[in-house]
Amino acid sequence: MKKITAVYPGTFDPVTYGHLDIIQRASSLFDKVIVAVALNTSKKPLFTEGEREDMLKHVTAKYKNVVVDEFKGLLVDYAKKKNATVIIRGLRALSDFEYEFQMSLTNRKLQPDVNTIFLMPNEKYTYLNSSLVRELAAFKADVSGFVPEYVRKKLSVKLKSL
Ligand code: COA
């Protein structure tokens, strides 16, 4: 039977419980899930690529069909190179829709045989994003409800070093 590989792209600066929720769902749906750290977004990440990948590897280690990688350039080119036919995106709120709609249709135009599939995280994570976590951590708020302990420690060390 055909094996389906899905790519879950993002900046993951840092990975949160919301991302992990999506990864867990994708892992149960697809044969292989590649969590792909984007290297060339317009964002100025707090963590280096290596640090973001390290945190992702650590927190996804228990999912045997999940691998962590990085990519530069167009997402659809990366998906094609990896023989992935699915792009996973999380949909948290209506506010995500317009951007996701545009991205998904553009990607489909560029690569018609790669489909975007949207997964909804548990409702308790629908308000979460990485900027919020970074800001809370910078003000020394407790972020243990938003990120795994490994990530919480890395945030604390990183922010102290700035
Ligand atoms: N839980 C918690 N937070 C989530 C989340 C979830 N389930 N899903 C998304 N987020 C957060 C992210 O942490 C991020 O937060 P931040 O802006 O505070 O850092 C925010 O929501 C947006 O995330 P996302 O939509 O994943 O954007 P991104 O910048 O991380 O990734 C790419 C966008 C990399 C997928 C996209 O720019 C891309 O494909 N780039 C490659 C170039 C390309 O192909 N361009 C053409 C696209 S049509």
Side-chain angles (χ1 to χ4, degrees):
M1 214 171 74
K2 195 178 160 194
K3 295 226 184 260
I4 300 181
T5 298
V7 175
Y8 179 38
T11 309
F12 304 108
D13 187 38
V15 56
T16 68
Y17 278 137
H19 296 124
L20 262 182
D21 181 289
I22 299 287
I23 292 168
Q24 182 178 6
R25 287 171 205 280
S27 152
S28 68
L29 287 169
F30 300 103
D31 299 292
K32 182 177 175 184
V33 177
I34 306 173
V35 181
V37 176
L39 301 187
N40 58 341
T41 62
S42 50
K43 297 181 176 177
K44 294 262 170 289
L46 173 68
F47 289 101
T48 65
E49 293 123 44
E51 289 166 338
R52 284 180 277 149
E53 280 188 58
D54 167 70
M55 286 184 276
L56 276 165
K57 279 184 185 151
H58 192 92
V59 301
T60 61
K62 66 175 173 180
Y63 305 111
K64 297 301 165 215
N65 62 342
V66 173
V67 295
V68 177
D69 194 15
E70 60 186 42
F71 76 101
K72 270 196 185 114
L74 284 179
L75 174 60
V76 285
D77 290 345
Y78 174 76
K80 201 75 194 157
K81 195 173 86 188
K82 293 289 169 179
N83 291 320
T85 49
V86 170
I87 292 170
I88 302 288
R89 297 294 291 167
L91 258 195
R92 290 160 300 168
L94 202 57
S95 50
D96 281 346
F97 182 77
E98 220 166 315
Y99 170 63
E100 294 298 339
F101 180 81
Q102 184 187 32
M103 216 162 57
S104 153
L105 292 184
T106 309
N107 283 333
R108 192 159 74 189
K109 184 85 185 161
L110 294 170
Q111 200 57 259
D113 48 359
V114 175
N115 278 295
T116 302
I117 292 186
F118 295 99
L119 297 175
M120 285 185 204
N122 188 306
E123 59 274 15
K124 61 186 178 194
Y125 302 127
T126 49
Y127 60 91
L128 199 56
N129 67 22
S130 300
S131 312
L132 187 74
V133 170
R134 291 194 304 271
E135 184 169 326
L136 291 173
F139 287 113
K140 301 199 169 34
D142 177 16
V143 292
S144 56
F146 307 134
V147 294
E149 183 57 15
Y150 186 77
V151 176
R152 192 194 64 74
K153 284 188 184 146
K154 295 278 172 189
L155 260 170
S156 159
V157 171
K158 185 74 170 183
L159 290 164
K160 272 185 200 139
S161 74
L162 294 180

